[in-house]
Amino acid sequence: MKMNVFLLSAILLCSACSEDDDIIKKEDSMKPDTEIPAGNNGGANNSPAENIFTTKSTVDDVISNPAFGDFGYLLFPVDRNVSRSMTLADISSSSVYVWYSHIQPEKTVEIINRLYNDAMAGNQIFYRMYSDAEIAADPSKLDTGLFLFRGEAGKPFAITNAGGGFMYVGAMQDSFPHSLEISKAGYSAFALIYRPDDPYNDLARAITFIHDNAAELGVKADDYSLWGGSAGARMAATLGNSSYLYQLTGRRDIPQAAAVIMQYTGYSTASQYDAPTYVCVGSNDGIASWRTMQNRLQRLSEMGIPTEFHVYDGLGHGFGLGHGTVADGWINDAVKFWQTNMKTDESAGIPPVYAD
């Protein structure tokens, strides 16, 4: 089925849940910011880890640590009421990360310590996408940026987009853990902190920023992947579409993503311009129906677009990495799907893993 994807003013289809309300709107193309803050942009940090943060550490302990400069507050949801006196155990809760489940304090601690150790090893862990002039003109852009979880230099990169119903950015459950695991697989992963009221432009800027500065960032500009859960999956699918990518970046030199990795969303638009797509969702998800996601992938498959679909029995919404559940290990399947659909990476050609 062919669709007229060139009409960006057409509203994306949505599911019945509040998170999947119509949110995309027609906007002007963006001019890229190519300035990179000074810092060590080398490969992965192999120095001995010093895990100074524990589940008893507070949000203030993290934010006030010099390793996190003036951006530490972006590690936590800026659009949620998070007290600086809360411990890392306290914040690892569905009361903070609304719509999420299976949140593990130990993973929160691992993420913070990983970024801390990278910073202490002299590696830059955070990049602003917008210039000082742009931020001065629109102060909301201050609350955006990319946290980098380094992999091996010269390999393709991933951008991970957390959900949060376009109300807040649930990165600690829905993009930081993914970026951490992707980096362990050898690929650099950028966790995007975006503005909930302008997510698509922020993702477009992130793609542009990384593409234009790939050499300095130590990544390959081609064969990248876009990841997302819930609202973030909607973002990944939209910018994974080559027509929307051009409309939102205004750049024809930026290649389409090699793969889009989506979790639990009601996004249902499908077109011949979409990227190869991997999907996983729980059978008991009351927000994003697994049938909606499966139907979309079937339509993509009929267009000849590679897909892979997994539904996990008994799981609800927002399970993230799914450690300790029936979904445990799904991210390894997703990385293989990405590798299979790379065009130039040496790992291309891995046999595909078919849907459950």
Side-chain angles (χ1 to χ4, degrees):
M1 177 179 63
K2 293 184 179 180
M3 305 185 67
N4 185 3
V5 297
F6 293 99
L7 296 177
L8 185 58
S9 58
I11 304 301
L12 300 179
L13 298 180
C14 58
S15 65
C17 66
S18 60
E19 175 194 347
D20 287 315
D21 288 343
D22 295 335
I23 37 75
I24 191 167
K25 51 187 180 290
K26 187 174 183 178
E27 298 173 348
D28 293 333
S29 298
M30 299 172 57
K31 299 295 183 182
D33 169 27
T34 58
E35 297 178 4
I36 293 187
N40 184 337
N41 295 306
N45 170 28
N46 296 315
S47 61
E50 181 184 3
N51 297 327
I52 69 168
F53 298 103
T54 71
T55 55
K56 296 180 180 179
S57 300
T58 65
V59 170
D60 184 68
D61 291 336
V62 176
I63 293 176
S64 61
N65 191 290
F68 299 116
D70 62 353
F71 55 82
Y73 72 101
L74 292 175
L75 289 163
F76 308 100
V78 298
D79 298 293
R80 297 284 293 155
N81 185 20
V82 177
S83 169
R84 292 173 71 117
S85 65
M86 295 178 73
T87 67
L88 296 185
D90 292 334
I91 68 162
S92 303
S93 164
S94 297
S95 63
V96 173
Y97 295 95
V98 182
W99 302 305
Y100 286 102
S101 60
H102 302 90
I103 303 172
Q104 299 181 324
E106 295 78 13
K107 182 59 66 174
T108 300
V109 170
E110 182 184 0
I111 289 164
I112 298 296
N113 279 314
R114 163 61 186 274
L115 290 172
Y116 169 80
N117 281 295
D118 279 1
M120 295 306 292
N123 293 313
Q124 188 167 341
I125 61 173
F126 181 76
Y127 295 85
R128 295 206 179 274
M129 309 177 297
Y130 295 105
S131 68
D132 290 343
E134 288 173 310
I135 293 172
D138 181 357
S140 71
K141 291 178 178 176
L142 182 65
D143 293 337
T144 67
L146 293 159
F147 282 96
L148 173 56
F149 293 73
R150 277 185 171 76
E152 298 173 23
K155 285 196 169 186
F157 65 91
I159 301 178
T160 60
N161 306 278
F166 296 114
M167 182 184 79
Y168 75 103
V169 179
M172 197 61 76
Q173 168 69 353
D174 218 22
S175 64
F176 289 159
H178 303 64
S179 291
L180 177 62
E181 297 306 312
I182 293 167
S183 72
K184 291 177 182 178
Y187 300 95
S188 291
F190 297 84
L192 173 62
I193 306 300
Y194 59 88
R195 293 166 293 168
D197 61 351
D198 204 1
Y200 299 98
N201 272 334
D202 286 342
L203 178 53
R205 173 54 68 95
I207 294 170
T208 302
F209 176 85
I210 299 169
H211 177 271
D212 287 351
N213 300 288
E216 293 88 345
L217 293 167
V219 299
K220 182 181 178 182
D222 298 333
D223 285 328
Y224 67 93
S225 58
L226 298 176
W227 299 58
S230 201
R234 198 176 266 279
M235 295 164 58
T238 300
L239 271 297
N241 178 289
S242 60
S243 179
Y244 286 134
L245 176 67
Y246 168 64
Q247 291 182 60
L248 286 166
T249 64
R251 300 275 296 276
R252 293 198 181 276
D253 60 315
I254 298 177
Q256 182 178 23
V260 168
I261 313 298
M262 304 175 67
Q263 291 185 275
Y264 33 74
T265 186
Y267 185 85
S268 57
T269 299
S271 94
Q272 61 182 317
Y273 302 104
D274 285 331
T277 303
Y278 174 103
V279 160
C280 67
V281 62
S283 65
N284 287 353
D285 195 320
I287 294 177
S289 167
W290 66 267
R291 291 180 178 85
T292 297
M293 301 193 79
Q294 184 182 52
N295 288 340
R296 177 174 180 263
L297 259 64
Q298 288 175 339
R299 292 158 62 196
L300 293 180
S301 294
E302 291 167 1
M303 297 175 196
I305 297 171
T307 65
E308 184 176 333
F309 177 77
H310 296 270
V311 58
Y312 297 108
D313 188 43
L315 277 187
H317 195 73
F319 56 81
L321 293 179
H323 283 333
T325 74
V326 294
D328 204 344
W330 74 264
I331 195 166
N332 299 320
D333 293 336
V335 169
K336 290 178 182 177
F337 179 85
W338 174 23
Q339 292 171 330
T340 299
N341 287 284
M342 291 179 184
K343 296 179 177 61
T344 57
D345 190 77
E346 67 275 4
S347 59
I350 294 176
V353 180
Y354 294 99
D356 291 345

